[in-house]
């Protein structure tokens, strides 16, 4: 956090020195966005509606808009210069060749002594349609992060802003550069985040929430069969939806039967988690995965979330019938995550996999692994903290942990 704040201060000074520097605008926006996302990730429950985080992300969006406008101007200027040069290219070809030969002769005749006085210049990377798309996508990703903090009254504004960005910028650039799938994935992530916020603020019910997520992630333009990141993003959105509706076990009105309502919620969560597991399984088989242990941790969490449906208030029979298999699967995935994290020297992730594997084993009737991790007071405290986080994430029923 402190490093990001120091970086932000430095980048602000860079913008003060040069207001129309696209790189400075872009980099400052990235730092602002990263700072906001870190705050959200560390304390999401308290950050919802937090004005300070909202200001950080809104400033990032504004800087990215300035950056994009500047880059569009620079690209149009470059294209205007290229056109007359292209039209005169053929007529000037012979003249250029002759001039090149003359220059070579003069340079050779002059000798090294006369060429010692040289001028230096900085090379500025040219702006392309790819550059514009990169900036626009980052702006949409920042809007996606903003969805976690905005008030219900701002949902329409964010949706309208993103729709305009997609319609007039991203889709056009993506079609030109053959990056349609990338644009479609950014759009899907935004729509899922907006739907999540809409549900949490009462704008959407849970079934409309599910429809919104499926509509964007299973769109024909979005082929994720060989896209590991896309598969993980879709799985994360499905799991987030399941967590968001976890507290919705009370019927919305007295006219709705409580047993029927709980059954419908359980069924929605079960099928969403099953789909998420399928995506994560497919992603784990693809090459070039940067953090494979994260996929296996997510697979273990998904199985634990399905197992959680065995207990109150859900008491979902399908989960109860598969309880032993779900816990066995979770142990396998956590064990795999532990090994992969250890090989990559990711200490925290290795520890997470270790404790969660032991927790799943204890729930399956084998308390020994968890006992072996709790031989000192320091270890006991660490294990308790991780179990508390698992309870907060609704991976386990607190009453079941008390029984252990």
């Amino acid at each position: 956090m402190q490093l990001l704040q120091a970086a932000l201060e430095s980048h602000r000074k860079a913008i003060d020195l040069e207001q129309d520097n696209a790189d400075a605008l872009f980099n400052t926006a990235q730092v602002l966005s990263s700072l906001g996302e870190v705050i959200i990730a560390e304390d999401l429950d308290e950050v919802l509606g937090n004005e300070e985080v909202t200001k950080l992300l809104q400033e990032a969006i504004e800087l990215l808009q300035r950056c994009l406008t500047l880059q569009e101007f620079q690209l149009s200027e470059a294209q205007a210069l290229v056109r007359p040069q292209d039209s005169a290219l053929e007529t000037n070809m012979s003249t250029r060749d002759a001039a090149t030969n003359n220059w070579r002769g003069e340079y050779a005749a002059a000798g090294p002594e006369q060429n010692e006085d040289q001028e230096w210049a900085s090379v500025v990377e040219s702006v392309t349609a790819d550059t514009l798309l990169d900036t626009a996508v980052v702006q949409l990703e920042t809007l996606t992060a903003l969805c976690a903090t905005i008030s219900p009254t701002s949902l329409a504004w964010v949706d309208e802003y993103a729709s305009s960005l997609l319609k007039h910028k991203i889709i056009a650039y993506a079609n030109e550069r053959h990056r349609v799938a990338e644009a479609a994935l950014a759009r899907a992530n935004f729509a899922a985040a907006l739907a999540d916020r809409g549900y949490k603020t009462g704008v959407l019910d849970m079934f409309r929430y599910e429809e919104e997520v499926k509509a964007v992630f299973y769109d024909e333009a979005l082929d994720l069969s060989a896209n590991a990141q896309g598969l993980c993003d879709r799985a994360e959105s499905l799991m987030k939806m399941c967590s968001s509706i976890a507290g919705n076990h009370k019927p919305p009105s007295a006219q709705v039967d409580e047993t029927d309502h709980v059954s419908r919620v359980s069924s929605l969560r079960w099928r969403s988690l099953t789909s998420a597991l399928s995506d994560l399984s497919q992603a784990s088989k693809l090459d070039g995965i940067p953090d494979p242990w994260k996929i296996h941790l997510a697979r273990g969490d998904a199985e634990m979330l399905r197992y959680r449906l065995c207990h109150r208030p859900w008491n979902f029979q399908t989960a109860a019938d598969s309880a032993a298999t779900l816990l066995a699967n979770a142990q396998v995935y956590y064990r795999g995550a532990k090994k992969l994290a250890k090989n990559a020297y990711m200490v925290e992730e290795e520890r997470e996999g270790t404790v969660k594997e032991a927790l799943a084993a204890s729930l399956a009737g084998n308390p020994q692994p968890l006992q072996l991790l709790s031989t000192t007071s320091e270890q006991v405290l660490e294990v308790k903290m991780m179990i508390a986080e698992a309870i907060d994430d609704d991976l386990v029923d607190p009453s079941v942990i008390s029984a252990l």
Side-chain angles (χ1 to χ4, degrees), residues 176-325:
E176 181 181 345
R177 303 308 300 171
H178 306 292
R179 293 168 61 184
V180 175
E182 179 184 348
L185 179 59
R187 171 178 172 266
N189 284 325
F190 168 77
L194 187 68
D196 182 72
R197 189 59 174 158
Y199 171 77
K200 288 177 177 176
T201 55
V203 176
L204 302 178
D205 64 24
M206 61 182 177
F207 299 109
R208 180 64 186 279
Y209 181 4
E210 181 187 27
E211 290 173 4
E212 293 282 338
V213 172
K214 287 187 174 180
V216 290
F217 270 112
Y218 292 93
D219 187 275
E220 291 181 357
L222 190 59
D223 180 11
L224 300 179
S225 58
N227 186 333
Q229 185 59 56
L231 289 166
C232 290
D233 286 353
R234 183 164 67 189
E236 183 179 351
S237 293
L238 291 168
M239 292 176 67
K240 186 175 183 180
M241 177 175 65
C242 291
S243 296
S244 294
I245 67 175
N248 188 10
H249 55 273
K250 295 293 184 182
S253 67
Q255 288 73 33
V256 179
D257 180 73
E258 183 172 354
T259 302
D260 179 62
H261 176 75
V262 169
S263 177
R264 294 178 70 194
V265 177
S266 299
S267 296
L268 188 158
R269 296 185 70 200
W270 178 269
R271 64 176 174 264
S272 297
L273 289 167
T274 302
S275 296
L277 278 161
S278 177
D279 284 339
L280 292 169
S281 176
Q282 189 173 349
S284 69
K285 299 172 185 176
L286 298 175
D287 296 329
I289 303 171
D291 303 320
W293 54 87
K294 290 184 179 180
I295 292 180
H296 291 286
L297 283 173
R299 293 173 79 183
D301 287 350
E303 291 289 29
M304 292 291 283
L305 285 168
R306 293 210 297 177
Y307 170 75
R308 175 69 178 86
L309 292 172
C310 297
H311 303 105
R312 62 178 183 85
W314 313 109
N315 300 316
F316 190 52
Q317 190 60 47
T318 305
D321 293 341
S322 309
T325 301

Side-chain angles (χ1 to χ4, degrees), residues 4-282:
L4 284 172
Q5 290 173 333
L8 178 59
E9 184 178 347
S10 298
H11 282 85
R12 288 193 192 280
K13 290 179 180 178
I15 291 180
D16 290 339
L17 293 173
E18 193 173 356
Q19 294 284 330
D20 292 333
N21 186 302
D23 288 338
L25 293 169
F26 184 86
N27 292 336
T28 305
Q30 286 280 63
V31 175
L32 284 164
S33 181
S34 297
L35 188 57
E37 289 175 3
V38 166
I39 295 173
I40 292 172
E42 288 184 353
D43 210 359
L44 183 57
D45 290 335
E46 292 186 11
V47 95
L48 292 176
N50 187 295
E51 292 184 1
E52 189 62 32
V53 179
T54 302
K55 287 179 181 178
L56 289 173
L57 296 175
Q58 286 179 333
E59 183 182 357
I61 292 168
E62 291 169 3
L63 291 178
L64 287 167
Q65 184 56 51
R66 284 173 56 188
C67 176
L68 184 58
T69 301
L70 180 60
Q71 289 173 335
E72 288 174 328
F73 175 74
Q74 291 172 340
L75 180 60
S76 63
E77 270 195 332
Q79 290 173 336
L81 290 173
V82 168
R83 290 191 192 99
Q85 294 175 2
D86 288 343
S87 63
L89 184 60
E90 292 185 5
T91 57
N92 291 335
M93 188 68 72
S94 58
T95 304
R96 188 195 67 179
D97 291 342
T100 300
N101 292 333
N102 290 338
W103 174 82
R104 286 173 178 164
E106 292 171 2
Y107 186 88
E113 294 82 1
Q114 298 183 28
N115 293 292
E116 290 180 354
D117 296 333
Q118 299 177 2
E119 293 185 3
W120 294 87
S122 60
V123 178
V124 179
E125 186 176 352
S126 60
V127 175
T128 66
D130 282 314
T131 310
L132 301 183
L133 180 58
D134 290 339
T135 303
V137 167
V138 169
Q139 192 174 14
L140 185 60
E141 290 171 347
T142 307
L143 284 165
T144 302
L146 182 62
C147 288
T149 70
I150 55 174
S151 63
T153 56
S154 299
L155 283 173
W157 171 82
V158 171
D159 191 14
E160 182 180 351
Y161 192 107
S163 297
S164 177
L165 182 65
L166 279 160
K167 181 178 179 181
H168 300 294
K169 306 289 184 181
I170 293 179
I171 294 176
Y173 300 148
N175 288 333
E176 181 181 345
R177 303 308 300 171
H178 306 292
R179 293 168 61 184
V180 175
E182 179 184 348
L185 179 59
R187 171 178 172 266
N189 284 325
F190 168 77
L194 187 68
D196 182 72
R197 189 59 174 158
Y199 171 77
K200 288 177 177 176
T201 55
V203 176
L204 302 178
D205 64 24
M206 61 182 177
F207 299 109
R208 180 64 186 279
Y209 181 4
E210 181 187 27
E211 290 173 4
E212 293 282 338
V213 172
K214 287 187 174 180
V216 290
F217 270 112
Y218 292 93
D219 187 275
E220 291 181 357
L222 190 59
D223 180 11
L224 300 179
S225 58
N227 186 333
Q229 185 59 56
L231 289 166
C232 290
D233 286 353
R234 183 164 67 189
E236 183 179 351
S237 293
L238 291 168
M239 292 176 67
K240 186 175 183 180
M241 177 175 65
C242 291
S243 296
S244 294
I245 67 175
N248 188 10
H249 55 273
K250 295 293 184 182
S253 67
Q255 288 73 33
V256 179
D257 180 73
E258 183 172 354
T259 302
D260 179 62
H261 176 75
V262 169
S263 177
R264 294 178 70 194
V265 177
S266 299
S267 296
L268 188 158
R269 296 185 70 200
W270 178 269
R271 64 176 174 264
S272 297
L273 289 167
T274 302
S275 296
L277 278 161
S278 177
D279 284 339
L280 292 169
S281 176
Q282 189 173 349

